[in-house]
Amino acid sequence: MSWIRTTRRIRTTLALAAGAALLAACSGGTGAKGETDSAPPAAESGASDDGGGESSGTEGGNDDDGGASDGGGTGEDTDQDDGADEDGEDSAGATPRIQFTPNPAGPTTDVLSESELSGELSASLGAEATCAGPLELTGGASQSCEGPASTESEEIVPWTAVGVQIMSPEGYESGTVPGLMFVQSEEPPSEDVMRVLGSNVSGLGMGSAFGQEEISADDLGESTLQVLTSDNAYVRWHEVAAWESVTCSDAMDFTEFEPVECEARDADGGVWSLSVLPGDFVDNDRGLLVGNNGPREEPATEG
């Protein structure tokens, strides 16, 4: 019996030892696994740190994105803002849209009634338009109207009707006759602009891209010469003189609806005073309005 008890004690001791060894091994394995398991969290933590850095970077990326978005957005916003500003300048800024009707009612008419004036604007825009009263075409008067923004728009905008002077159908020596211009603006043009419109006006569309950038004085002179010599001008000046050249005192910026002074020379030695305005025509491309103030010197004569 004592032998049996001894044997049982030995077995128990060995079982305990084996259990302890197994437990230690398991602990060691768990520890290794824990290290292995803890590595991904560390990596995750690192990634999280990095990812916190990435996350930060992602936030930074969001910031970057946001920055890109902000930057891009800012850039885009800036571009949009710039575009809006340019559009604003083009549509309602210093250079208004213009509807130029050289001779609406015949050379003997000095006054258009309210209905006649409304009818002229309606006919020009192909849609109903109204004016607040009659317009005297001479003397620099103006009248408020409203109608569509263009022939292709239903947006109703304010227009100002003003009288202009154009060359008589009988020719330059016969003086001027009344014409009509509608300016897309609530306010009448400035005194300087009205001075040009009251001289002897013609105009010509130059193309949709014309005036998107500042036009140099040299280029403005060449473009103004085209107005004087073109068969397609609103009022034809090509037979008035043998036009040779035009020089202008300054560049033209289409964001400023103010005249630039120019000088035309003809083949007979005549020097003509011109005042040139930017023209953003409703029924035509962008171009120029030219007021011809007449010769400053008589053509040279022989003898």
Side-chain angles (χ1 to χ4, degrees):
M1 294 292 295
S2 61
W3 176 79
I4 292 173
R5 287 195 189 101
T6 303
T7 302
R8 285 178 178 171
R9 285 185 190 138
I10 291 170
R11 286 178 180 173
T12 301
T13 303
L14 291 173
L16 291 171
L22 181 59
L23 182 59
C26 287
S27 295
T30 301
K33 187 177 178 189
E35 288 170 4
T36 304
D37 288 346
S38 64
E44 285 170 7
S45 175
S48 199
D49 290 340
D50 288 345
E54 287 173 6
S55 196
S56 275
T58 302
E59 291 171 4
N62 286 337
D63 289 339
D64 289 341
D65 289 344
S69 192
D70 288 342
T74 302
E76 289 173 5
D77 290 340
T78 301
D79 292 341
Q80 289 172 356
D81 289 340
D82 289 341
D85 288 340
E86 288 175 5
D87 289 343
E89 287 169 354
D90 290 344
S91 62
T95 305
R97 303 297 306 284
I98 292 168
Q99 179 62 43
F100 184 18
T101 305
N103 193 9
T108 60
T109 301
D110 291 333
V111 179
L112 290 177
S113 69
E114 178 182 337
S115 61
E116 288 172 330
L117 190 60
S118 299
E120 288 293 338
L121 183 55
S122 298
S124 297
L125 299 174
E128 184 178 357
T130 59
C131 296
L135 175 67
E136 184 178 349
L137 296 176
T138 58
S142 64
Q143 183 59 263
S144 60
C145 305
E146 65 174 24
S150 70
T151 54
E152 298 177 354
S153 172
E154 295 181 357
E155 180 190 3
I156 302 301
V157 299
W159 290 86
T160 297
V162 296
V164 300
Q165 293 299 305
I166 60 173
M167 184 176 68
S168 167
E170 304 300 321
Y172 175 76
E173 297 298 332
S174 298
T176 61
V177 295
L180 176 64
M181 184 175 293
F182 293 99
V183 181
Q184 199 173 108
S185 171
E186 292 183 3
E187 300 296 328
S190 70
E191 290 184 9
D192 285 343
V193 171
M194 290 301 294
R195 173 181 57 80
V196 177
L197 301 182
S199 57
N200 198 332
V201 187
S202 185
L204 180 67
M206 301 286 181
S208 57
F210 186 77
Q212 288 186 358
E213 297 180 357
E214 185 179 78
I215 303 168
S216 70
D218 288 342
D219 289 342
L220 182 60
E222 292 179 7
S223 296
T224 303
L225 183 61
Q226 290 181 47
V227 180
L228 300 181
T229 58
S230 175
D231 286 339
N232 297 318
Y234 281 96
V235 180
R236 297 179 182 179
W237 278 83
H238 63 291
E239 293 182 354
V240 170
W243 307 106
E244 286 193 335
S245 65
V246 177
T247 56
C248 295
S249 62
D250 204 352
M252 175 171 284
D253 185 344
F254 260 63
T255 66
E256 298 178 3
F257 192 49
E258 293 297 333
V260 174
E261 301 307 314
C262 300
E263 191 176 82
R265 293 181 178 271
D266 62 35
D268 295 323
V271 179
W272 301 64
S273 172
L274 308 178
S275 299
V276 184
L277 287 165
D280 192 357
F281 301 110
V282 171
D283 61 346
N284 205 330
D285 291 326
R286 277 182 157 196
L288 298 175
L289 281 168
V290 178
N292 193 329
N293 305 307
R296 288 204 332 219
E297 299 174 6
E298 292 295 326
T301 55
E302 294 181 2

